[in-house]
Amino acid sequence: MKKIKTIEAVAAYRTLKALKTSSMSDDAALRVWKNMKALRHVADTYDKDVEEAQESLKDDKFEEMQRKLQECQQLEQKHADDDYEYTKDDSAKFAEVNEYFFNQKQKTEKYFSDLANAEVEVAIEAVDEKELFKAAKDCGLKFADMESLEAVMAEA
């Protein structure tokens, strides 16, 4: 069993899911599958927790502010396309929307940070780095994507 941060497990799962294992040895492909199986529960739980938290953190003003945000976006488009000049009411609406969503972000960031950084214990089977690189290359993953696989890479 290996202890890793939840967000690392989620990122590794998503990257493993994108791999094309046809170029890998049978042993490495089997290890990738086992790791996906071990990490899937963490990723699914994290996604569900995030979705539920986003819903529960919405207050009574959320729908109204969503509508105002759309109006602001339309005003911005009108300003860009038709040289529309913003009114004082427009500016006040922008300020209200920005303040509301800034405060919402502040409320949720702490919760999501705690959730993402919580350690989980998962049964990881080390996969040879060269095998992972080969599979990642075959499906067009970037080096940044490879970083998310550090949790499942065999120690060199």
Side-chain angles (χ1 to χ4, degrees), residues 19-35:
L19 287 180
K20 292 182 180 171
T21 57
S22 58
S23 65
M24 299 176 93
S25 69
D26 290 346
D27 179 63
L30 181 62
R31 288 172 181 266
V32 165
W33 177 76
K34 286 181 178 179
N35 288 334

Side-chain angles (χ1 to χ4, degrees), residues 49-74:
D49 287 350
V50 165
E51 187 179 314
E52 287 175 359
Q54 286 173 331
E55 280 302 310
S56 70
L57 292 171
K58 289 179 183 176
D59 58 18
D60 296 340
K61 290 179 69 177
F62 185 80
E63 294 298 323
E64 174 191 351
M65 296 311 288
Q66 281 286 92
R67 183 183 51 73
K68 286 184 178 185
L69 175 61
Q70 287 177 332
E71 291 171 6
C72 287
Q73 290 168 337
Q74 290 169 351

Side-chain angles (χ1 to χ4, degrees), residues 42-103:
V42 176
D44 290 348
T45 300
Y46 176 80
D47 289 342
K48 190 174 213 151
D49 287 350
V50 165
E51 187 179 314
E52 287 175 359
Q54 286 173 331
E55 280 302 310
S56 70
L57 292 171
K58 289 179 183 176
D59 58 18
D60 296 340
K61 290 179 69 177
F62 185 80
E63 294 298 323
E64 174 191 351
M65 296 311 288
Q66 281 286 92
R67 183 183 51 73
K68 286 184 178 185
L69 175 61
Q70 287 177 332
E71 291 171 6
C72 287
Q73 290 168 337
Q74 290 169 351
L75 287 171
E76 286 176 336
Q77 191 64 46
K78 192 175 175 182
H79 176 72
D81 294 345
D82 304 329
D83 291 329
Y84 173 79
E85 293 297 320
Y86 295 126
T87 66
K88 284 184 180 181
D89 287 345
D90 295 339
S91 296
K93 188 181 291 186
F94 280 115
E96 179 186 16
V97 167
N98 285 335
E99 180 182 358
Y100 175 81
F101 284 106
F102 175 80
N103 290 334

Side-chain angles (χ1 to χ4, degrees), residues 136-155:
K137 199 169 122 184
D138 285 348
C139 63
L141 291 180
K142 296 175 176 59
F143 284 113
D145 299 318
M146 286 295 293
E147 286 180 12
S148 69
L149 295 177
E150 285 184 30
V152 298
M153 283 184 193
E155 299 287 322

